[in-house]
Amino acid sequence: MTESFPTVRSTVLDTTDPRGLAEFYRRLLGYDYRPGDEPPADGEPDTADWLVLLDPAGRVRLAFQGVPELPAPTWPNPDVPQQLHLDMSVPGTDELRAQDARVHELGGTRLYDRSDDPVEPLYVYADPAGHPFCIFVVPPASEEL
């Protein structure tokens, strides 16, 4: 019998504001809404409690699930664990600095600065809902995923 494996379909982030958090990641990552999940027309109420973003190739999916309340993680303090975080990479330190500015423009908050590390420069952020995520440098010739 051939062994089979499940396929990961989405990474899902809980949030009290599904549209707001989806917009943050849509603009940060250049993703698009899954057909049918686009923002409503002007003047129409936005009642979405589940939204999905797709990468340009349609492979990577981020989903946003509405919840009534959500205690923000307190990383690096362990009082409220981060429970999940996203890792993102850029090819060099100039791009790392450029993305740092974009994250702040979009409403993210820097939690940790290791941008001067000679091996793996990185920043750790909180998105507008408080979920931690990292952006770090992986040079194009690197074998690391």
Side-chain angles (χ1 to χ4, degrees):
M1 174 189 262
T2 303
E3 189 172 16
S4 65
F5 302 97
T7 301
V8 174
R9 296 289 300 162
S10 300
T11 298
V12 181
L13 300 172
D14 284 353
T15 178
T16 58
D17 179 10
R19 181 68 63 195
L21 195 58
E23 275 297 298
F24 173 82
Y25 282 106
R26 184 189 68 78
R27 293 178 62 206
L28 178 65
L29 299 172
Y31 285 13
D32 293 311
Y33 285 102
R34 172 182 64 180
D37 283 354
E38 299 87 355
D42 288 340
E44 295 292 318
D46 192 342
T47 59
D49 63 356
W50 179 267
L51 297 168
V52 176
L53 295 177
L54 305 172
D55 75 353
R59 291 185 308 250
V60 176
R61 296 165 46 117
L62 284 179
F64 305 88
Q65 175 175 268
V67 296
E69 65 180 66
L70 182 71
T74 55
W75 186 94
N77 179 319
D79 289 349
V80 180
Q82 62 181 327
Q83 301 169 22
L84 170 136
H85 76 268
L86 300 173
D87 279 344
M88 303 168 202
S89 65
V90 294
T93 55
D94 288 344
E95 182 66 15
L96 181 66
R97 285 187 206 91
Q99 294 305 321
D100 181 57
R102 289 189 64 242
V103 167
H104 288 92
E105 286 173 16
L106 295 170
T109 304
R110 188 184 316 133
L111 300 175
Y112 181 67
D113 180 345
R114 198 177 80 191
S115 59
D116 59 353
D117 186 284
V119 176
E120 187 180 63
L122 68 83
Y123 292 117
V124 179
Y125 302 97
D127 67 24
H131 303 107
F133 67 95
C134 301
I135 301 178
F136 56 94
V137 174
V138 175
S142 175
E143 294 293 321
E144 188 174 349
L145 295 177

